[in-house]
């Protein structure tokens, strides 16, 4: 799609995304297109250790705010989902402990 115009891209992308997120396009009144001809996920040396330490220090109920997103896991969409799942698990564990 790199050679497509800014108007052409949303006309294809939004209906494609709506197969998974119904009516996604309804509230969209404008779009912005960025082109990245070359992009590669980046992870600096030591990142995995830093993240492991963050998770070890985030025992349920020890933090009121949990950070989640691709920057807190693998640097792509699977990482974003994985870290969200981890954060949700921490919240569930904290709530379950309080209920006991
Ligand atoms: C060019 C490019 C190509 C990519 N290709 C792939 C690919 O092929 N496959 C793949 O798996 N991943 C790919 N990725 C990575 C993928 O897009 C990200 O890993 C994923 O979107 C991260 O999701 P996220 O929810 O953590 O963060 P984001 O999708 O970045 O969402 C964060 C949201 O928070 C909002 N936000 C930020 N600050 C604030 C604030 N202060 N207040 C309110 N809102 C705020 C932002 O506007 C954004 O909407 C690509 C990324 C880029 C840039």
């Amino acid at each position: 799609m790199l050679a497509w115009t800014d108007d052409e891209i949303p006309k294809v992308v939004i209906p494609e995304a709506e197969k998974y997120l119904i009516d996604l396009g309804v509230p969209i009144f404008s779009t912005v297109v960025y082109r990245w001809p070359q992009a590669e996920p980046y992870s600096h040396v030591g990142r995995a250790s830093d993240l492991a330490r963050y998770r070890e220090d985030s025992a349920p109920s020890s933090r009121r705010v949990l950070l989640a997103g691709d920057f807190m896991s693998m640097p792509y969409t699977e990482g974003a989902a994985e870290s969200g799942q981890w954060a949700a698990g921490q919240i569930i564990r904290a709530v379950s402990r309080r209920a006991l």
Side-chain angles (χ1 to χ4, degrees):
M1 295 179 180
L2 281 174
W4 295 16
T5 67
D6 285 7
D7 291 335
E8 287 171 323
I9 293 173
K11 283 183 193 152
V12 172
V13 169
I14 294 171
E16 182 67 24
E18 281 185 323
K19 291 179 189 168
Y20 309 96
L21 303 168
I22 294 164
D23 288 340
L24 172 77
V26 172
I28 295 177
F29 57 88
S30 71
T31 57
V32 179
V33 174
Y34 295 92
R35 289 175 181 75
W36 297 47
Q38 296 173 336
E40 189 174 322
Y42 171 76
S43 235
H44 63 262
V45 173
R47 181 165 177 265
S49 306
D50 292 344
L51 295 178
R53 206 169 311 118
Y54 177 77
R55 292 193 182 195
E56 283 163 15
D57 292 346
S58 300
S61 78
S62 70
R63 288 181 199 268
R64 291 180 60 81
V65 174
L66 292 169
L67 302 177
D70 66 349
F71 74 110
M72 293 303 292
S73 180
M74 299 158 284
Y76 29 83
T77 47
E78 288 90 339
E82 190 274 336
S83 78
Q85 201 169 29
W86 168 81
Q90 293 295 96
I91 293 167
I92 291 168
R93 277 186 281 281
V95 170
S96 308
R97 280 186 188 180
R98 254 182 254 145
L100 291 176

